């Protein structure tokens, strides 16, 4: 299996309660050739001080340009040195074998873009034993109807992609917009159907606001992708059904 460097990009905003656990979950990986790029987006809590205790040659803290998670992630992408770029949110956790298994999976399928299944966790990072399964492959048209690609599971192979292609637009649900942008070029995303990430759902987060989620996805269809109202409605219905199923 490859032993190429993985750059893990983490946007940070007021994450003092969980960022130490997130960093430890990377340090505990069985695949050891990684760098961690933490981009602080103007935190007003003790996040920077917590992170400072972990800083070393392969763990860097960068002051972000401010404004959004998209801008923070793009700053991390610009700074990344690895062949692979992986994303992880500041409150999510990785299984110790996540990188090792996913990189082997990418090598097997010659994949430029991969993602994995994941489990929901409570605000303390404890799994609630709800696994979200993912398909082996997903293309652009399929992804419009199935937003199953979760940010903290994604890895890109930068030997096959350009940094400009994976830069995130400064819109709400910038991650989903990015997956669509990449897939629209004809690339297929490959899904490893194992729960290798814990998705921590805290009260008050954007993802927990269901009405806002509905608005965001509709905005992506109409204003970002430029889809017609009828086709947007079709995609929206498929998305809604699958979103409910994921949380059942």
């Amino acid at each position: 299996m490859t032993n190429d460097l993985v750059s893990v990009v983490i946007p940070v905003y007021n994450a003092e309660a969980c960022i130490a656990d997130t960093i430890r979950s990377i340090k505990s990986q069985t695949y050891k050739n990684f760098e961690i790029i933490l981009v602080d987006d103007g935190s007003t809590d003790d996040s920077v001080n917590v992170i400072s205790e972990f800083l070393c040659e392969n763990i860097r803290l960068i002051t972000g340009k401010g404004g959004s998670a998209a801008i923070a992630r793009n700053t991390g992408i610009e700074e990344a040195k690895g062949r692979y770029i992986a994303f992880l949110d500041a409150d999510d956790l990785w299984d110790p074998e996540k990188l090792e298994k996913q990189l082997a999976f990418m090598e097997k399928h010659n994949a430029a873009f991969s993602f994995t299944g994941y489990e929901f966790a409570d605000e303390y990072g404890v799994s609630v034993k709800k696994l979200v399964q993912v398909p082996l492959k997903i293309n652009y048209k399929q992804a419009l109807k199935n937003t199953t690609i979760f940010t903290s599971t994604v890895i890109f192979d930068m030997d096959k992609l350009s940094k400009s292609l994976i830069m995130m637009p400064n819109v709400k649900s910038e991650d989903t917009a990015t997956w669509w942008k990449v897939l629209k070029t004809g690339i297929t995303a490959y899904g490893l159907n194992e729960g290798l990430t814990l998705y921590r759902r805290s009260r008050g987060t954007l993802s927990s606001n269901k009405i806002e989620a509905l608005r965001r996805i509709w905005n992506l269809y109409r204003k970002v992708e430029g889809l017609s109202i009828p086709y947007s409605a079709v995609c929206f219905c498929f998305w809604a059904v699958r979103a409910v199923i994921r949380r059942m």
Side-chain angles (χ1 to χ4, degrees):
M1 191 189 80
T2 180
N3 193 35
D4 290 298
L5 180 68
V6 178
S7 298
V8 185
V9 176
I10 307 176
V12 178
Y13 178 73
N14 289 351
E16 66 171 311
C18 52
I19 191 60
D21 287 340
T22 299
I23 294 172
R24 290 189 191 103
S25 80
I26 306 173
K27 293 184 58 148
S28 298
Q29 292 295 300
T30 55
Y31 185 92
K32 297 298 185 183
N33 192 15
F34 59 78
E35 63 170 354
I36 304 174
I37 304 170
L38 300 119
V39 184
D40 181 64
D41 195 30
S43 295
T44 56
D45 66 357
D46 209 34
S47 295
V48 170
N49 287 332
V50 172
I51 292 169
S52 67
E53 297 181 7
F54 292 92
L55 297 181
C56 59
E57 184 177 354
N58 67 331
I59 302 178
R60 290 182 280 153
L61 174 62
I62 298 171
T63 300
K65 301 171 184 177
S68 70
I71 295 173
R73 290 195 187 100
N74 289 344
T75 299
I77 290 169
E78 291 171 353
E79 294 290 328
K81 300 175 182 177
R83 170 180 172 177
Y84 297 97
I85 293 181
F87 298 108
L88 182 58
D89 285 346
D91 55 352
D92 295 329
L93 304 167
W94 279 350
D95 180 277
E97 294 185 298
K98 196 263 189 186
L99 289 180
E100 182 178 356
K101 287 185 174 182
Q102 191 168 356
L103 294 177
F105 175 79
M106 293 181 74
E107 191 169 56
K108 176 181 177 181
H109 293 282
N110 194 30
F113 177 0
S114 75
F115 59 103
T116 76
Y118 57 94
E119 294 183 29
F120 288 113
D122 64 20
E123 58 189 304
Y124 304 105
V126 178
S127 173
V128 297
K129 306 302 181 183
K130 168 58 182 173
L131 172 65
V132 176
Q133 300 192 38
V134 297
L136 175 61
K137 298 180 183 180
I138 192 166
N139 61 30
Y140 173 66
K141 288 187 176 181
Q142 292 167 333
L144 289 174
K145 300 176 181 178
N146 186 3
T147 56
T148 191
I149 301 174
F150 174 45
T151 308
S152 291
T153 75
V154 167
I155 297 180
F156 288 124
D157 184 347
M158 303 314 297
D159 275 2
K160 298 178 172 67
L161 302 171
S162 67
K163 284 189 175 182
S164 61
L165 180 60
I166 69 169
M167 288 290 178
M168 296 193 173
N170 193 20
V171 298
K172 292 182 178 180
S173 293
E174 73 287 342
D175 44 3
T176 297
T178 303
W179 317 152
W180 292 353
K181 180 175 66 164
V182 174
L183 295 173
K184 195 186 291 187
T185 67
I187 288 169
T188 297
Y190 284 79
L192 174 56
N193 193 28
E194 292 188 38
L196 300 176
T197 296
L198 281 177
Y199 174 20
R200 193 193 312 240
R201 294 193 292 178
S202 303
R203 295 177 182 178
T205 59
L206 253 183
S207 58
S208 68
N209 187 326
K210 305 302 186 295
I211 300 300
E212 176 64 16
L214 297 175
R215 290 183 180 135
R216 283 184 285 141
I217 194 69
W218 184 256
N219 180 69
L220 289 184
Y221 290 141
R222 295 288 291 131
K223 296 183 179 180
V224 177
E225 294 305 299
L227 304 181
S228 68
I229 290 177
Y231 190 44
S232 295
V234 170
C235 293
F236 185 87
C237 290
F238 276 98
W239 169 83
V241 169
R242 286 169 171 151
V244 170
I245 291 173
R246 280 200 300 272
R247 287 163 173 77
M248 288 178 60

